Amino acid sequence: MSALGSQADPSATGREWRTLLGRKTVLTVAHTITYAKRLVDILSLVDDDFRVQVAFTAPPHVFGDEVPRFLHRLGCAVLPWEEAVRMPFDVAVAAGPKGVERLRAPLITLPHGAAYLKVVTAPAEPGVAGLRRQDVAPGGRLPAAIVLPHHADLPELARNCPEAVPLARVVGDPVYDRMSVSLPLRGRYREALGLRDGEKLVVVSSTWGARSAFARFEALLPRLLSELPGDEYRCVVLAHPNVWSGHGAWQVRSWLRHCARLGICLLPPEEDWRSVLIAADWIIGDHGSVTLYGTLTPAPILLASSPAQDINPASPAAALALTAPALSPVHPLVDQLRYAAAEYRREEYAAISARITSQPGCFHRNMRRLLYRTLGLGQPAHAPVTAPLPVPPPLASRPAAGQEVAV
């Protein structure tokens, strides 16, 4: 029998599991590291279930070069894309649309970030990224289910692809839920990072693209070094994995080599940023998902970039742009951090974070129900658990930007 259980054709693949046969099969479609990390987190829902076999594949993608190595490091069984599209599966899960119409499986699609924050302005493909017809029904094929984080996303879906609305399932947001249950561990995360008593952590978060915060790092990072006293402040940079993939890891490290030598920590794209964000005293960010998830924490936020032309006006990113102070290029940075802290109103940021999900604390319950129904299996007889995030490694343990990495 084939590698992947009862449905698969033995002639379709050279990989075989000869110990446990007849499993229900889940194909995880990981286009990029961002997508892969989101999907791997969700697959805890089938932990301990010997009825289910999970496999992974990495379709061709402009930002997907590092995905196979990332999955192999996790110990995942990775099928070549051209092999995966020839095989039947009981269900496939994907956080991006590229090529998924070729799959021979009921498909569940999920967003890969917080809400639907960005708009595409290209004349041929305008609209809210993730909710356009080509995103929802690539190649003209509708999925089995479309996972949405919030009921407020339904009107945009209805405008773009009304026939997809009956397939929509408002399930919630897994990152929101895991960060929420982890907030009480903030002190433990700070201790694990190596922060001393009284030391302040500034987290700089950037999405990708020409109007992201990263596009302004050439001016911003020297200010962090020159204006923040090194004995009082630590700085961590969280750059979107697409920045690393698009420019190459060597190039990103090279650009930030001098800053790293002077104390700025650059978090690699494969590492978990969520516990670091929870540990922050301030967040300097932009219109990306990481900055928005920062509204869950008690850290004041300053926006280094918030381009209106890139932001979905109905999204919580638009509300954040009206609430968080904008970073000034001329005023002293320490004064701006103090101003942001003095003006911070927790209730304002809680209202923004509430727009991330209309099912707070329920993602694992809702998603497991959907996944098992699509598989044609009864759920395990125990409640799914939203586990707290693990403690992060010390900041000092990470290689400096520009440092050679063994290959």
Side-chain angles (χ1 to χ4, degrees):
M1 182 171 285
S2 161
L4 291 167
S6 57
Q7 285 196 14
D9 175 2
S11 64
T13 176
R15 178 188 287 274
E16 295 185 354
W17 283 266
R18 298 184 181 274
T19 302
L20 296 181
L21 306 178
R23 310 296 101 177
K24 289 286 188 174
T25 56
V26 177
L27 179 66
T28 306
V29 185
H31 296 80
T32 71
I33 285 184
T34 301
Y35 300 1
K37 291 171 74 173
R38 175 64 63 110
L39 296 172
V40 166
D41 213 25
I42 289 168
L43 290 170
S44 65
L45 295 172
V46 297
D47 281 353
D48 305 319
D49 194 336
F50 279 71
R51 300 172 298 169
V52 180
Q53 166 71 54
V54 179
F56 296 77
T57 189
H61 194 282
V62 66
F63 294 127
D65 290 350
E66 295 300 313
V67 173
R69 186 161 62 174
F70 173 74
L71 294 176
H72 282 298
R73 281 199 299 266
L74 293 178
C76 301
V78 181
L79 297 172
W81 173 244
E82 290 302 325
E83 184 176 310
V85 297
R86 293 196 302 267
M87 297 175 59
F89 295 86
D90 293 296
V91 68
V93 291
K98 189 173 177 61
V100 296
E101 70 275 8
R102 299 178 61 192
L103 297 170
R104 298 174 60 191
L107 176 67
I108 299 175
T109 63
L110 304 98
H112 61 264
Y116 296 94
L117 306 184
K118 299 179 183 180
V119 293
V120 178
T121 56
E125 301 177 330
V128 176
L131 292 174
R132 300 170 299 168
R133 176 174 289 274
Q134 59 266 46
D135 299 326
V136 174
R141 177 188 169 188
L142 288 167
I146 301 165
V147 168
L148 299 179
H150 202 290
H151 286 96
D153 301 315
L154 286 165
E156 184 67 26
L157 178 64
R159 277 191 292 272
N160 291 288
C161 193
E163 64 269 35
V165 173
L167 307 173
R169 303 291 182 267
V170 179
V171 170
D173 185 287
V175 173
Y176 179 103
D177 288 358
R178 289 204 69 188
M179 288 187 62
S180 294
V181 301
S182 302
L183 287 171
L185 300 178
R186 182 174 184 269
R188 189 182 303 177
Y189 296 151
R190 290 177 61 85
E191 181 180 359
L193 289 169
L195 297 171
R196 303 186 305 271
D197 289 345
E199 196 170 28
K200 304 299 183 182
L201 178 63
V202 178
V203 172
V204 182
S205 163
S206 177
T207 187
W208 65 283
R211 289 183 283 269
S212 67
F214 193 90
R216 304 186 179 193
F217 274 12
E218 191 172 4
L220 175 58
L221 297 188
R223 293 190 66 192
L224 297 175
L225 292 169
S226 64
E227 298 186 39
L228 299 183
D231 57 344
E232 298 178 33
Y233 294 86
R234 299 286 296 277
C235 297
V236 176
V237 170
L238 310 178
H240 195 287
N242 288 2
V243 174
W244 291 79
S245 180
H247 293 285
W250 180 91
Q251 181 64 79
V252 173
R253 291 190 180 99
S254 176
W255 278 331
L256 301 185
R257 177 185 295 123
H258 184 67
C259 292
R261 287 174 175 167
L262 295 178
I264 290 179
C265 177
L266 179 63
L267 204 71
E270 65 273 10
E271 286 203 28
D272 197 327
W273 48 267
R274 295 169 295 183
S275 57
V276 178
L277 199 67
I278 289 172
D281 293 287
W282 285 275
I283 298 166
I284 298 176
D286 56 16
H287 56 299
S289 291
V290 174
T291 306
L292 183 61
Y293 283 125
T295 61
L296 285 165
T297 79
I301 296 172
L302 295 92
L303 293 177
S305 176
S306 186
Q309 64 268 46
D310 290 348
I311 298 175
N312 172 11
S315 75
L320 182 60
L322 296 177
T323 303
L327 192 69
S328 167
V330 295
H331 290 83
L333 192 53
V334 171
D335 290 350
Q336 293 187 64
L337 295 179
R338 290 172 179 163
Y339 173 83
E343 293 296 311
Y344 179 81
R345 301 292 181 269
R346 182 72 203 114
E347 63 275 11
E348 295 180 341
Y349 289 86
I352 296 170
S353 65
R355 176 57 182 80
I356 296 174
T357 173
S358 57
Q359 294 283 306
C362 296
F363 177 87
H364 283 69
R365 183 196 68 191
N366 294 338
M367 186 66 200
R368 193 177 76 169
R369 181 187 299 117
L370 172 61
L371 181 61
Y372 273 82
R373 284 183 178 177
T374 309
L375 281 170
L377 290 175
Q379 295 186 63
H382 59 82
V385 175
T386 303
L389 297 164
V391 296
L395 295 178
S397 70
R398 295 172 172 86
Q403 180 176 323
E404 291 186 9
V405 178
V407 294

